[in-house]
Amino acid sequence: RKFYFDLYLFQWTQAELQPVLASIPVVCMWDDHDIFDGWGSYPDHDQACSVLQGVFKASRAMFEMFQLHCYTKTRICESAIYEHNRYITYGEALTTTLRESFTYAFCVGPMAVLIPDLRSERTASQVVSDATRHAMYQWISNVSATANIQYLVFVSSVPMLYVDLRTTEHLVDAVPGRLNAEDDLRDQWGSSAHCAERNDLLLSILNYAKQKDFRVLILSGDVHLANRGVVIEEGFARNTAIMHQWTSSGMVSLPPSTLFVTGINRFLCHKAMIGPNVHGEILDLSSGSGKSTRHRFSSDGAASESARLVNSRNFLSILPGGRGSLQGTWFCEDPANPMLPRQYAVIMQPPGPFASSVKELEVRRGSLHCCTLN
């Protein structure tokens, strides 16, 4: 515990970070690096050993104290909904059933925010437990029935839509020994071990959105790139059958190499079949007004062709737009002018007829592309 305690103190007392933490409200959820790289994606017999379990328990206690501020047996996942200056608690949907999970949820105005814990229950064969998944569904059902919800923001620390690395995963598995890449491949929602669980989760949330008439926005990070994607059910008359994913990371770490990003952008950004008439796809972030533009960045922000995966350090801002819409703007580092980042902006419309959201998607050359404002 002393190692994690000292690490938090060292990182959080840096002069550049202190004013940020002191002035900006933060809602936290942990991921593997709050424990160690790849936690939950190693073989179960490795993670079950007493040494790694001791590391997990120590990191968990410090995460609970520093990021959730509820060190003791208190759980943040009481899932209170803030409405009309009072809290409405939805029973035990996200409390007693999630004894080991930090999953929690809340509402802000017409927006419901659900933040699943993707590490506490993670094993080589599951990301979250059945109990956690059903509790999340129950909470969505309860809040959408009792509150005027227009948007569900589902925060997934690892993108639910990303490049298809299953073939690479199988090739790595076929090599004797370990290549130090297995955990990164198995950490993805699209991994062979987790793909069915991801599809079940996406289809269930999509069905709630259609039935209860709210939009779904998945927020994510982890991959050191800026990108956006969509899950869409064809033939549905309402735009609630379109779920968006906006991914932004990271603000400090350098992006992947030019060769890596160019390769996956050209060869691995396939459509993902989620279910009958439902597919997911990474969209072209840097196209707009019917014209395809490809900005070039390298590992230091200088020269990589990528439209669907923007290869630069970045952050994402989400603000209310006109008529109940949401505007997401990616600020991406430009090495030619570091003080003036490139901006990519997209609009997500409130629930309505599908025609009201046609500008969210531009059908061009047989695939879906983002329609940007800048």
Side-chain angles (χ1 to χ4, degrees):
R1 289 192 181 190
K2 185 178 185 305
F3 168 80
Y4 287 105
F5 184 86
D6 291 344
L7 184 60
Y8 273 109
L9 290 184
F10 172 75
Q11 297 288 357
W12 287 19
T13 55
Q14 294 182 76
E16 297 83 1
L17 186 59
Q18 273 188 320
V20 175
L21 296 176
S23 59
I24 301 176
V26 178
V27 177
C28 296
M29 177 52 70
W30 71 344
D31 203 29
D32 58 332
H33 285 272
D34 296 292
I35 309 164
F36 59 76
D37 184 25
W39 174 266
S41 296
Y42 294 99
D44 291 341
H45 60 81
D46 286 351
Q47 293 198 169
C49 78
S50 58
V51 173
L52 294 189
Q53 282 298 307
V55 171
F56 173 73
K57 291 175 182 178
S59 62
R60 179 183 176 91
M62 293 301 100
F63 164 73
E64 202 169 7
M65 180 167 67
F66 278 92
Q67 299 195 47
L68 300 186
H69 310 296
C70 56
Y71 183 67
T72 63
K73 294 183 180 180
T74 304
R75 281 288 172 270
I76 196 170
C77 45
E78 294 174 351
S79 300
I81 303 302
Y82 189 70
E83 183 181 273
H84 305 305
N85 297 319
R86 61 193 178 94
Y87 283 94
I88 305 170
T89 302
Y90 284 112
E92 300 181 349
L94 289 175
T95 54
T96 58
T97 53
L98 305 186
R99 292 183 298 274
E100 301 301 324
S101 174
F102 289 117
T103 295
Y104 63 102
F106 54 91
C107 284
V108 180
M111 183 180 296
V113 182
L114 177 55
I115 308 177
D117 176 358
L118 304 185
R119 293 296 160 181
S120 292
E121 301 171 318
R122 193 184 189 104
T123 68
S125 59
Q126 73 169 28
V127 179
V128 297
S129 67
D130 290 341
T132 296
R133 209 159 47 248
H134 293 314
M136 290 193 295
Y137 299 156
Q138 185 62 53
W139 184 82
I140 293 172
S141 178
N142 289 342
V143 71
S144 59
T146 58
N148 183 24
I149 296 302
Q150 289 190 312
Y151 296 96
L152 170 66
V153 178
F154 187 86
V155 181
S156 177
S157 55
V158 178
M160 304 195 78
L161 297 175
Y162 191 48
V163 295
D164 188 347
L165 296 172
R166 284 176 292 178
T167 300
T168 305
E169 183 181 359
H170 295 321
L171 291 174
V172 169
D173 287 342
V175 177
R178 293 189 179 180
L179 302 178
N180 295 323
E182 293 89 343
D183 62 295
D184 290 325
L185 294 170
R186 293 169 185 157
D187 220 46
Q188 303 299 319
W189 272 109
S191 165
S192 299
H194 306 309
C195 192
E197 181 181 354
R198 176 201 65 180
N199 292 351
D200 177 77
L201 183 58
L202 287 174
L203 289 173
S204 297
I205 294 175
L206 178 62
N207 286 333
Y208 279 112
K210 293 189 300 178
Q211 293 169 13
K212 305 296 185 178
D213 201 44
F214 58 79
R215 303 298 308 275
V216 177
L217 171 61
I218 302 168
L219 289 183
S220 193
D222 182 68
V223 294
H224 300 273
L225 298 164
N227 65 79
R228 74 183 292 250
V230 65
V231 174
I232 183 169
E233 179 174 341
E234 300 172 5
F236 196 73
R238 302 280 290 175
N239 62 9
T240 51
I242 306 171
M243 302 195 302
H244 289 269
Q245 176 181 276
W246 296 352
T247 300
S248 174
S249 73
M251 291 180 64
V252 177
S253 299
L254 291 175
S257 69
T258 301
L259 180 62
F260 174 80
V261 175
T262 301
I264 60 177
N265 183 62
R266 289 184 175 180
F267 302 114
L268 297 176
C269 286
H270 307 308
K271 289 185 179 180
M273 298 311 300
I274 308 299
N277 298 320
V278 180
H279 76 271
E281 184 179 1
I282 301 297
L283 302 183
D284 191 333
L285 184 62
S286 59
S287 68
S289 303
K291 298 180 180 179
S292 177
T293 58
R294 296 185 181 261
H295 300 284
R296 296 178 176 271
F297 301 96
S298 71
S299 58
D300 59 357
S304 166
E305 181 181 7
S306 180
R308 289 174 289 190
L309 305 171
V310 177
N311 190 27
S312 71
R313 293 188 288 195
N314 66 89
F315 68 91
L316 172 65
S317 169
I318 301 175
L319 296 172
R323 300 181 180 179
S325 64
L326 295 179
Q327 177 173 310
T329 305
W330 283 261
F331 294 82
C332 299
E333 184 179 35
D334 184 350
N337 192 347
M339 301 305 295
L340 187 63
R342 298 179 185 271
Q343 298 181 32
Y344 305 102
V346 297
I347 292 289
M348 185 173 180
Q349 297 293 341
F354 187 90
S356 68
S357 294
V358 292
K359 291 188 178 298
E360 295 178 2
L361 306 172
E362 178 189 356
V363 180
R364 183 168 53 83
R365 292 197 298 270
S367 63
L368 295 169
H369 293 277
C370 157
C371 186
T372 62
L373 302 180
N374 292 349

